[in-house]
Amino acid sequence: MATTTSTGTGPQPAGLAEGAIATVAGNGVAGFISDGGPGALTRVYNPTDVTVDKNGNLYIADQANHRIRKVTPNGIITTIAGDGTAGYISDGGPAVATRLYNPSSVAVDDAGNLYIADTSNHRIRKVTPNGIITTVAGNGTAGYISDGGPAIATPLNSPYGVAVDRSGNLYIADYGNHRIRKVTPNGNITTIAGNGTAGYVSDGGPAIATRLQYPIGVAVDAADNLYIADRHNHRIRKVTPNGIITTVAGNGTAGYVSDGGPALGTRLHYPWGVALDEAGNLYIGDGHNHRIRKVTSDGIITTIAGNGTAGYVDDGGPAAGTRLYYPYGIALDRAGNLYIADQSNQRVRGVTGVAQMTPPLPPAADLYGEVVSPYRVQRGQEFDLGARIRSRGPNTADGQHVTVVLTLADGLVGGPGTTGRRLTRTFTGQQLIPYQGSLDGVFRVIAPDTTPAGTYESTLEIQYGGDLNLKDNTYALPVTVVVPSPVADETALTIYQDTIPDVAPGQRSTFIMRYTSPAGQPVNPGTIVQRFTAPTAFTFAGQPTYAYYEALDGIVTGNLDYRIEDDGRTLIITANPHVNTTPSDSGSVIYTIPVQARINALPGQYDNGSASIGRHTPVQISGKITSKAQDETALRVVQASVPAAAPGQISKFNLELRSFDNQPVNPGTIEQRITAPTGFEFTGAASYGYYNTKPYVTGNLDTRLEDNGKTLVIHSNPHLNTGTTDKTSLIHTIVVRALPGATSGTQSTDGRAVIGRLAPVPLTGRIL
């Protein structure tokens, strides 16, 4: 987050070279300990945004601690808003004594007022310099009604970003509404970008008429241009004071290509934070690229922090050469220091003097290795060991500068045509194009018949020269050598349940059964009958599959021959659970068996299932029923009405969503894909309603059309029973049109509704 308000010099340690990185808050461990000490020695928990005031105080949206923290220029940290408990109580009292709920962004004006995107409370809060908190936008209900009225009386939908300009206008990234809202100093709210439909159409026209897709960060420059991190469009958008929108960074494709060229031609990956310095340079928290990018006023993009590898190394060195881990919000102080909410590193980092420094030139090529190393091999068999070298760009790499050296462990030997334990390969005459192909540094290796069983660790080194860049160029490659013994029957197998499903009544899940053998010996019992009895609260529910995930030839999967008896209580599989007999079945074999919890199942763990695998001793099978489900898998969905229309006419139908035993369901915003029955298409109109509340709660759903209207995609939160306004059931009312050429008198049953991870629900429509 950045604003046009003035800033002081923040808590970045003195004496560091330009471009050097240091931690100013958080010790890398998620949590909360205390306040009043050095910020770098205490804990933060998923920090997502930062801002700096005119006195140099750094403010942190300490999201999972449900607090706003303040770090003074001398490095002391305190809490200034939120008592650490998620929720909402009231306004008008001390900010440190009330509750916040996943605060995600902060902004500060010249008067010292702090603005907080209180995301899960669907509000924007304001903390005055004397510590009193109030709501300035959002009524606490997720949604969208209208613009032009009081900001505190209208809904927001998971607001993430906030910024404030010198005139006191507040800008809100209204994430779930796919809009940017503006609140004037007199408290009125309007939309200034986004038409409320998720997606991307074009640039160059009015910002309020185009689409955004989950906008998450906002910043304003001195000329009142607004910059938007259009997160799911993988772009940074700019809205001029006269309301025209353009893209200034990102080509809309997620990923990373290169630096040093036009920002419009390169890729971003879920950008989050945006900030500007006094010279008009734009900084981007390129979250999933684990980088901070800088776009100069002439449109050239470079990386100033993060080498693209997620993680944490240490502080004190060049920021461009170290690691970040989902860097999100960013801010600059008066001295040109950049502050980064390094979210998954549980730290806030500072980079010295980025506004003055010239970012290092990108390497000619950015290489990395994809290791090939089997977990287990049989003595006497050949196997592959080494790495394939790939490039992230930006330029083509010349293979003559790349050499792979594999030093084999004592006990392993190279394949035909090699001598000694040190195997090398250089790629003279080969060119490595970014994101295309690889250099093959994989060698054939054998564990001779004289090699004892055990683990053997070889070393791989990728040597490089010229103007190349390579991360993590040395690898240890352990391989376990197993000794074959005579083929045994199924009693030689070790069989156990790998995971115990934990589901609500009516939910689907799987039993995962693992078949392995001691010391990797081959077992080949032939085709045998395997009888499974479900625990009391479960029934078997469909096609079981098998998989060899450790096979030397790659993952091998397939369907199992089965039948279900006793109303779902018994599953009979007829198959050969062989392991370690060929490179295609090495390791263990995994059975994935679909099950469903009974609708009337009571909470608790049920341990009375069993697996009888041929003559093997029966194995216990367990499953757990929970009384609480918070995501969409706890919903049950039915078509409550059937659309009926003559060709060319409009009709509608209802989907009814309820939860098992009226338990609370709150999955957050999820995708719901509705396919029209044959003869119908969607118009795009859809609404929701909670009709078991007084008064009714209704509104329009966020939709888009695909497949020429055959598919309707809804993004919404189908929450139920979380309070007084969403009790018992939720109705989705969806408008359809009978196609002009539809055959009268027909009824189709091939439509379907897929609500998040739920199994498809069939839909019916009738042509009159």
Side-chain angles (χ1 to χ4, degrees):
M1 194 291 312
T3 74
T4 58
T5 58
S6 60
T7 60
T9 299
Q12 177 69 351
L16 294 175
E18 285 186 354
I21 193 166
T23 293
V24 297
N27 63 7
V29 178
F32 178 81
I33 303 176
S34 61
D35 285 307
L41 299 182
T42 194
R43 296 181 182 180
V44 294
Y45 197 173
N46 292 352
T48 52
D49 196 26
V50 286
T51 193
V52 181
D53 70 12
K54 64 182 179 182
N55 297 317
N57 296 301
L58 174 72
Y59 298 89
I60 305 167
D62 194 1
Q63 188 188 60
N65 274 327
H66 310 291
R67 289 176 162 93
I68 305 300
R69 316 288 287 278
K70 171 183 171 182
V71 182
T72 60
N74 64 353
I76 302 302
I77 193 168
T78 55
T79 294
I80 62 165
D83 66 359
T85 301
Y88 175 80
I89 301 176
S90 61
D91 285 306
V96 294
T98 195
R99 295 180 179 178
L100 304 174
Y101 197 172
N102 293 329
S104 298
S105 183
V106 280
V108 65
D109 65 18
D110 279 337
N113 296 299
L114 181 73
Y115 297 87
I116 304 166
D118 194 1
T119 302
S120 294
N121 276 327
H122 310 291
R123 289 176 163 92
I124 306 299
R125 318 286 288 276
K126 173 182 174 181
V127 180
T128 60
N130 63 353
I132 302 302
I133 192 168
T134 54
T135 293
V136 294
N139 63 6
T141 300
Y144 174 80
I145 298 178
S146 62
D147 284 306
I152 59 174
T154 195
L156 302 173
N157 194 349
S158 300
Y160 269 94
V162 286
V164 62
D165 66 19
R166 290 188 184 277
S167 301
N169 297 298
L170 177 68
Y171 300 86
I172 304 166
D174 196 358
Y175 181 83
N177 280 327
H178 311 290
R179 291 175 163 92
I180 304 299
R181 317 287 287 276
K182 176 181 177 180
V183 181
T184 59
N186 66 359
N188 284 333
I189 192 168
T190 54
T191 294
I192 61 170
N195 64 6
T197 300
Y200 174 80
V201 182
S202 61
D203 285 306
I208 58 173
T210 195
R211 296 181 180 182
L212 303 174
Q213 190 163 2
Y214 298 108
I216 201 163
V218 284
V220 189
D221 68 13
D224 289 335
N225 296 297
L226 176 72
Y227 295 82
I228 305 165
D230 195 359
R231 183 169 170 77
H232 285 237
N233 278 326
H234 310 290
R235 289 176 163 91
I236 306 300
R237 317 287 287 275
K238 174 183 174 181
V239 180
T240 61
N242 62 353
I244 301 302
I245 193 168
T246 55
T247 294
V248 295
N251 63 8
T253 300
Y256 174 80
V257 180
S258 62
D259 284 304
L264 282 171
T266 195
R267 296 179 181 180
L268 303 175
H269 199 173
Y270 291 121
W272 184 299
V274 279
L276 298 122
D277 64 22
E278 293 182 356
N281 298 303
L282 173 68
Y283 299 83
I284 304 166
D286 194 1
H288 285 231
N289 277 327
H290 310 291
R291 290 174 163 93
I292 304 299
R293 318 287 287 276
K294 177 180 179 179
V295 181
T296 56
S297 55
D298 59 356
I300 302 301
I301 192 167
T302 52
T303 292
I304 59 169
N307 63 11
T309 300
Y312 175 80
V313 183
D314 53 23
D315 287 313
T322 195
R323 297 181 180 183
L324 303 174
Y325 200 171
Y326 295 122
Y328 285 156
I330 51 178
L332 289 109
D333 68 12
R334 179 181 298 159
N337 301 313
L338 179 76
Y339 298 91
I340 305 165
D342 195 1
Q343 194 243 23
S344 290
N345 273 327
Q346 310 301 340
R347 289 175 166 92
V348 174
R349 320 282 288 277
V351 182
T352 301
V354 295
Q356 294 80 34
M357 68 175 280
T358 300
L361 292 175
D366 190 2
L367 309 183
Y368 62 100
E370 289 184 349
V371 168
V372 175
S373 178
Y375 173 72
R376 182 187 288 114
V377 299
Q378 287 192 25
R379 188 170 66 185
Q381 289 185 345
E382 289 189 1
F383 59 94
D384 289 335
L385 194 63
R388 296 182 178 91
I389 316 305
R390 298 186 183 274
S391 176
R392 301 183 183 93
N395 300 318
T396 299
D398 193 327
Q400 68 176 327
H401 298 305
V402 181
T403 300
V404 175
V405 179
L406 177 63
T407 303
L408 293 172
D410 188 14
L412 303 180
V413 299
T418 64
T419 58
R421 292 174 53 204
R422 182 178 170 89
L423 311 181
T424 67
R425 189 175 297 161
T426 301
F427 306 95
T428 303
Q430 298 184 49
Q431 301 293 308
L432 182 57
I433 300 173
Y435 297 100
Q436 297 184 36
S438 63
L439 302 177
D440 185 7
V442 179
F443 300 84
R444 294 296 284 176
V445 177
I446 303 171
D449 289 336
T450 55
T451 301
T455 300
Y456 295 81
E457 187 170 280
S458 303
T459 301
L460 177 74
E461 181 182 2
I462 305 171
Q463 300 174 349
Y464 58 99
D467 189 16
L468 301 182
N469 183 49
L470 179 66
K471 315 287 191 310
D472 300 327
N473 63 316
T474 302
Y475 305 87
L477 308 181
V479 175
T480 299
V481 176
V482 297
V483 179
S485 60
V487 174
D489 62 23
E490 67 270 19
T491 60
L493 292 169
T494 298
I495 304 171
Y496 58 93
Q497 185 177 5
D498 214 21
T499 60
I500 296 177
D502 185 350
V503 295
Q507 285 184 313
R508 287 178 174 263
S509 187
T510 55
F511 289 154
I512 307 296
M513 303 296 297
R514 183 181 294 272
Y515 297 50
T516 187
S517 63
Q521 70 179 35
V523 177
N524 189 9
T527 300
I528 59 174
V529 174
Q530 303 161 60
R531 188 179 186 89
F532 297 82
T533 301
T536 302
F538 293 84
T539 57
F540 294 108
Q543 173 70 61
T545 61
Y546 70 88
Y548 295 93
Y549 292 108
E550 306 159 62
L552 300 182
D553 288 344
I555 296 174
V556 178
T557 64
N559 292 331
L560 290 163
D561 183 9
Y562 79 103
R563 69 178 186 271
I564 295 175
E565 299 178 347
D566 303 330
D567 294 325
R569 185 73 194 281
T570 301
L571 169 71
I572 298 174
I573 293 175
T574 305
N576 180 1
H578 55 89
V579 293
N580 300 318
T581 64
T582 71
S584 297
D585 69 351
S586 52
S588 56
V589 60
I590 303 296
Y591 281 13
T592 300
I593 301 174
V595 295
Q596 183 167 6
R598 295 180 185 274
I599 293 290
N600 58 353
L602 297 176
Q605 180 159 320
Y606 295 79
D607 299 319
N608 58 345
S610 66
S612 298
I613 310 302
R615 293 173 292 166
H616 195 284
T617 303
V619 175
Q620 176 179 291
I621 299 178
S622 300
K624 187 176 182 180
I625 302 296
T626 178
S627 60
K628 185 176 182 182
Q630 292 294 334
D631 61 22
E632 73 274 17
T633 58
L635 293 171
R636 50 191 178 93
V637 183
V638 297
Q639 184 179 10
S641 61
V642 175
Q649 289 185 339
I650 298 294
S651 185
K652 61 185 177 182
F653 68 93
N654 292 334
L655 286 178
E656 184 183 62
L657 291 76
R658 291 177 178 263
S659 64
F660 300 110
D661 297 325
N662 287 328
Q663 59 188 315
V665 175
N666 190 10
T669 299
I670 60 172
E671 184 176 274
Q672 302 151 60
R673 301 184 70 86
I674 318 297
T675 303
T678 297
F680 289 87
E681 64 180 4
F682 295 106
T683 69
S687 61
Y688 68 88
Y690 296 95
Y691 299 108
N692 289 287
T693 64
K694 299 295 184 181
Y696 299 154
V697 176
T698 62
N700 291 325
L701 289 165
D702 175 13
T703 66
R704 75 170 185 271
L705 295 174
E706 294 181 356
D707 304 327
N708 296 318
K710 184 68 175 177
T711 301
L712 179 74
V713 181
I714 298 172
H715 283 94
S716 71
N717 180 1
H719 55 90
L720 277 167
N721 303 308
T722 63
T724 59
T725 60
D726 63 351
K727 295 188 296 184
T728 309
S729 67
L730 167 63
I731 301 295
H732 283 185
T733 300
I734 301 172
V735 180
V736 293
R737 177 187 296 108
L739 296 172
T743 303
S744 297
T746 61
Q747 181 162 320
S748 300
T749 59
D750 57 351
R752 67 175 187 170
V754 180
I755 311 298
R757 293 171 291 173
L758 287 174
V761 174
L763 299 179
T764 297
R766 187 169 70 253
I767 305 296
L768 299 177

